[in-house]
Each structure stands twice: as C-alpha cells, then as structure tokens.
Amino acid sequence: MKYVSLVIMVLLITACQKGPQPMSISAATISNVSATESLDSNRYQHLINLSFDYEIKSDNEQSDANRYFCTVQFVHKEDGKSFTNRSILNEDGTPFCKLLPGQGNMSILWPGVLDHASENEVNLRNLHLPVQYFVAIHQYTSKPASIIIARSEVLSSKITRVP
C-alpha cells in the first residue's frame, strides 16, 4: 500500500512540475497588397489605405481568436530594422488589425510617418527616401510579446523628400 501511495505521489508531483507547453509558431503568407496614400504636408496628414490577402496556417489547439494581428512597418535606412508608428491595440485592448487563422482579406487605414496621429516621433532622416514600408503579420507568443510570421514585399511611399 505504501508503494502504491508513493507511486501516485511521484506521478502527481511530476505532472504538476510540467510547465506550460511552448506555443507553436504558425505559418503565414501575404499577397495581393494594394496601397494608396493621401499626403497633405501642410496639415501633417499622411494616410496609407492598404488591402491585402492573407493566409495563416495554425496547427495549435489553443484558441486562435486573439493570436494574430497586422501592422505597417516602416524601414530604417541604416540598419534595415523596422518600426510601427501606431499602437497595435484599440482602447478596449483588442488588436487594431485583428486577423483570424485561415484565408482572408484585410483593408486598413494606417497613419503614415508624417501624420499627426502617429504615436511615435519619427526622425525622417533615419528613413529611406522614398519612405519604405511593408505589411507584417504578427503572432503573440505571450502577452505582450509577439513575433512577425509573415511580411509583404517592401512598398515605396509617395514621400520622396522631407518637407
């Protein structure tokens, strides 16, 4: 009887020590990106209207409802790193550009780097001219961390000089 109790206790301890399983990273693609821009440098309005098709392949059994979102990333000329100039969350905490697994189409209106609604101050001298940007699909790995799992081709902006 002591032996059975000991085995059960060891099994329970082993099961409790097993931490959370690592989240699998999904595969995604972006295609058919179309972008139009409106730029009024006198009023500091720069908007990018984007639409694109996407596909996210997820084999995760966990809920995928809030795991994926998109951003527009602007490219630095020095190191090629990218950044976004807008919060990825709405006021209610949901992603601004929420994506669901499977195939879909998304249309978004994103503030450009010159827009007064941009939340990050941007030094345009650190950007390629014309300004370069791309659409990125992110997957949360843990809140608030995420990774980019797909990106579109790099697009060139109408901005060819710093006003």
Side-chain angles (χ1 to χ4, degrees):
M1 188 68 170
K2 284 184 178 181
Y3 179 73
V4 172
S5 297
L6 182 63
V7 169
I8 291 173
M9 187 172 65
V10 168
L11 289 174
L12 286 173
I13 290 172
T14 304
C16 291
Q17 289 178 347
K18 192 175 186 180
Q21 297 298 316
M23 184 179 291
S24 64
I25 304 302
S26 301
T29 56
I30 299 172
S31 59
N32 301 323
V33 178
S34 113
T36 57
E37 292 182 71
S38 61
L39 174 63
D40 182 346
S41 57
N42 294 329
R43 295 175 51 192
Y44 294 101
Q45 289 182 334
H46 177 216
L47 298 173
I48 304 171
N49 191 355
L50 288 152
S51 67
F52 59 93
D53 296 327
Y54 70 91
E55 182 176 11
I56 300 172
K57 296 178 183 174
S58 172
D59 59 352
N60 196 349
E61 294 119 23
Q62 296 175 351
S63 171
D64 289 329
N66 292 309
R67 289 183 59 210
Y68 308 102
F69 63 95
C70 70
T71 62
V72 174
Q73 298 281 315
F74 297 91
V75 181
H76 283 281
K77 70 178 175 184
E78 295 294 321
D79 55 13
K81 292 182 180 178
S82 63
F83 69 95
T84 190
N85 63 333
R86 177 188 198 291
S87 172
I88 60 169
L89 299 177
N90 290 317
E91 291 177 6
D92 64 359
T94 60
F96 171 71
C97 179
K98 180 178 171 179
L99 302 173
L100 297 174
Q103 294 182 338
N105 180 278
M106 177 59 72
S107 294
I108 55 172
L109 186 62
W110 201 272
V113 290
L114 287 181
D115 197 86
H116 63 85
S118 288
E119 295 177 2
N120 296 332
E121 276 194 34
V122 177
N123 184 346
L124 290 176
R125 288 181 289 233
N126 291 336
L127 299 177
H128 286 279
L129 290 177
V131 172
Q132 295 179 340
Y133 60 94
F134 60 90
V135 177
I137 295 177
H138 302 255
Q139 176 182 336
Y140 280 118
T141 53
S142 65
K143 296 253 176 163
S146 69
I147 61 167
I148 293 176
I149 59 172
R151 58 185 275 174
S152 71
E153 68 276 5
V154 174
L155 304 166
S156 290
S157 172
K158 291 168 69 174
I159 300 173
T160 57
R161 62 179 180 81
V162 177

